[in-house]
Amino acid sequence: MGDVRVAVVGAGVCGVTTALELQALGVRDVVVLDARHPGDGSSGLSVGMVETQYVEVPDIAVRAHGRRYYDAVERDHGLTFVRGGYLRTAHDGADLADYERSVRRQREAGVPDAEVLDAAEIARRWPQLVVDDLTGGLYGPSDGHIDGYEYCTLAARLVRERGGRVLPGTPLVGAESLPGGGWRLVTGREPVEADVVVNAAGPWAGVVGDLLGAPVPLVPQLHGAVTVELAAPLTPLLPFVMDYVPGSGQAGVYFRSERADQLVAGLHVEEAVAESVSPDVPLGRVDDAFLEELVERMGERLADTDGAGIGRSWTGIYPMTPDHRPIVGRHPARADVVCAVGGGGNGIQLAPAIGRVAAEALTGAADPTFAATDPGWDPARIADGAPAGPASAQTP
Ligand SMILES: Cc1cc2nc3c(=O)[nH]c(=O)nc-3n(C[C@H](O)[C@H](O)[C@H](O)COP(=O)(O)OP(=O)(O)OC[C@H]3O[C@@H](n4cnc5c(N)ncnc54)[C@H](O)[C@@H]3O)c2cc1C
């Protein structure tokens, strides 16, 4: 495996993490090419939550892996990882029963501190939250957020220090499959030769898949986030509050303290409820309809926001697949293309697992990390076209 030449297309969280995992598994010749520069796609536009507050065992396993991975990057390389906590709200007794199960499963996955809180306890800890309609919540005190841009930049540096190459300003524009095997990649700059290509192009993965003759179904979704500037400092600081019911098909609000006088907030929904957008859609500020819905939903969950105003806003793309699960592994039509795509609204927290699974698929690692808890990411499911509806919930 040491001699296989791998080209990773895309230097977002999925691409740079796959490159590092390939190097960890002994692949020496790794080149990452990016049309722009590391972190300049969705990864630099996310709100960066890394958490494990899920119910199903595979969903918890891949996120627990992500938490441990970013803990290690913080410890060993100084990544900023702000552990402000994460609260997923519960709206009925069934949610609470699920959350009790989650706490047990998280412990088994090595996350010891998740807890179920009742509504009174939530109100006691964070008096600013409106809890009248809640039965409680699932709280991860050591969950937190990273800055996707900072991580991509740092990881790109590590790839280089470990002997790999990272080529910014190098778009893949064509690909020639060589008769004896391998690829000659046509880029905006010098050609790149490789034995295997990793498609980690985020929202552009459909375009890159087509160039490689290894199509992937994507339904890129436009999302946005804002800062909320508060008239008075909030104490205590708020954790990341996720007020979204998975599977509801309706956007839910999320918000967290960035500083005492500033929140970061947005609307999240699992399903691809909006029209797919082109990966090249112009990005900018959120629109008025988004703001109206956000302000209304925040007002239902957060008291005392008099005098608050919207500060900065931005949009970015969830690189979502039709069944909301990442597609990771060797492509069913071309074994010399490995997919590391489809992080949707979870790509930051899933990238460590996506990178690991992609690198293991490429190297044929003997003891796959997630063998016992298959997350359902196998590209085999796209062999006959786009996968049908969702198989498991994926929420940030
Ligand atoms: C507002 C918002 C909030 C979010 N919040 C969270 C969150 O809290 N937690 C979470 O886990 N996730 C979150 N996400 C989702 C997360 O940002 C994405 O899932 C993740 O960043 C996708 O990473 P990626 O590496 O697949 O894609 P990208 O980061 O988009 O990287 C793809 C790269 O490929 C490059 N590229 C494209 N085409 C080519 C080509 N032809 N040749 C060479 N290079 C190419 C691009 O330049 C880009 O750098 C959020 C997203 C948004 C928009």
Side-chain angles (χ1 to χ4, degrees):
M1 248 320 132
D3 295 331
V4 72
R5 298 165 305 162
V6 182
V8 179
V9 182
V13 281
C14 292
V16 291
T17 308
T18 302
L20 286 173
E21 291 292 356
L22 285 166
Q23 291 176 318
L25 288 173
V27 179
R28 287 189 292 266
D29 192 341
V30 178
V31 56
V32 184
L33 37 141
D34 198 285
R36 297 183 305 212
H37 60 263
D40 201 35
S42 294
S43 300
L45 296 166
S46 85
V47 301
M49 276 313 293
V50 176
E51 47 84 23
T52 56
Q53 306 317 314
Y54 276 73
V55 176
E56 301 306 326
V57 171
D59 291 338
I60 292 170
V62 290
R63 288 170 175 81
H65 176 82
R67 274 274 310 274
R68 282 193 292 275
Y69 177 93
Y70 288 122
D71 284 347
V73 182
E74 178 195 37
R75 185 190 62 231
D76 298 339
H77 304 289
L79 176 72
T80 312
F81 189 168
V82 182
R83 289 180 186 73
Y86 184 99
L87 177 70
R88 186 185 289 288
T89 56
H91 294 259
D92 55 32
D95 287 346
L96 285 182
D98 279 346
Y99 293 176
E100 293 289 359
R101 260 193 297 283
S102 168
V103 168
R104 286 195 297 277
R105 289 169 174 172
Q106 289 192 60
R107 288 206 179 111
E108 282 162 19
V111 182
D113 57 358
E115 54 184 335
V116 174
L117 307 179
D118 63 22
E121 180 61 14
I122 293 175
R124 195 188 65 74
R125 294 191 191 191
W126 303 286
Q128 314 96 315
L129 294 179
V130 176
V131 300
D132 308 354
D133 60 329
L134 296 182
T135 49
L138 177 61
Y139 181 54
S142 55
D143 290 335
H145 62 274
I146 65 162
D147 178 332
Y149 192 87
E150 179 192 352
Y151 169 71
C152 290
T153 309
L154 190 160
R157 174 170 60 77
L158 294 177
V159 170
R160 288 192 180 105
E161 284 173 7
R162 293 169 189 180
R165 287 177 296 152
V166 179
L167 308 178
T170 308
L172 179 80
V173 293
E176 189 189 341
S177 177
L178 301 174
W183 292 94
R184 186 169 181 278
L185 302 179
V186 184
T187 77
R189 296 164 68 185
E190 71 269 24
V192 172
E193 300 231 331
D195 300 308
V196 183
V197 180
V198 177
N199 181 354
W204 295 268
V207 180
V208 166
D210 288 347
L211 285 175
L212 296 167
V216 285
L218 265 202
V219 286
Q221 301 284 296
L222 191 65
H223 277 262
V226 304
T227 63
V228 179
E229 313 299 328
L230 302 169
L234 265 190
T235 48
L237 294 182
L238 291 170
F240 190 101
V241 178
M242 176 54 85
D243 197 18
Y244 163 68
V245 182
S248 63
Q250 278 215 323
V253 70
Y254 64 81
F255 51 87
R256 67 163 160 80
S257 291
E258 177 70 10
R259 313 188 296 254
D261 61 352
Q262 189 185 63
L263 305 175
V264 169
L267 295 170
H268 176 75
V269 59
E270 265 326 292
E271 295 78 13
V273 292
E275 292 277 308
S276 300
V277 293
S278 155
D280 295 313
V281 66
L283 301 177
R285 291 179 63 82
V286 300
D287 63 21
D288 289 348
F290 176 97
L291 274 183
E292 209 171 296
E293 188 174 348
L294 179 80
V295 168
E296 186 186 326
R297 285 174 188 264
M298 278 189 79
E300 289 165 3
R301 188 57 65 222
L302 190 58
D304 298 334
T305 49
D306 292 352
I310 301 295
R312 197 164 72 84
S313 84
W314 67 97
T315 54
I317 300 174
Y318 285 9
M320 197 178 276
T321 65
D323 65 4
H324 315 152
R325 284 179 288 149
I327 298 169
V328 191
R330 287 190 186 263
H331 193 279
R334 288 218 59 133
D336 52 3
V337 174
V338 168
C339 303
V341 307
N346 301 258
I348 302 288
Q349 56 187 271
L350 293 180
I354 289 174
R356 186 72 198 178
V357 172
E360 287 175 353
L362 198 155
T363 57
D367 188 14
T369 308
F370 299 106
T373 51
D374 178 7
W377 296 351
D378 192 339
R381 73 191 198 277
I382 63 171
D384 301 322
S392 80
Q394 298 276 340
T395 54

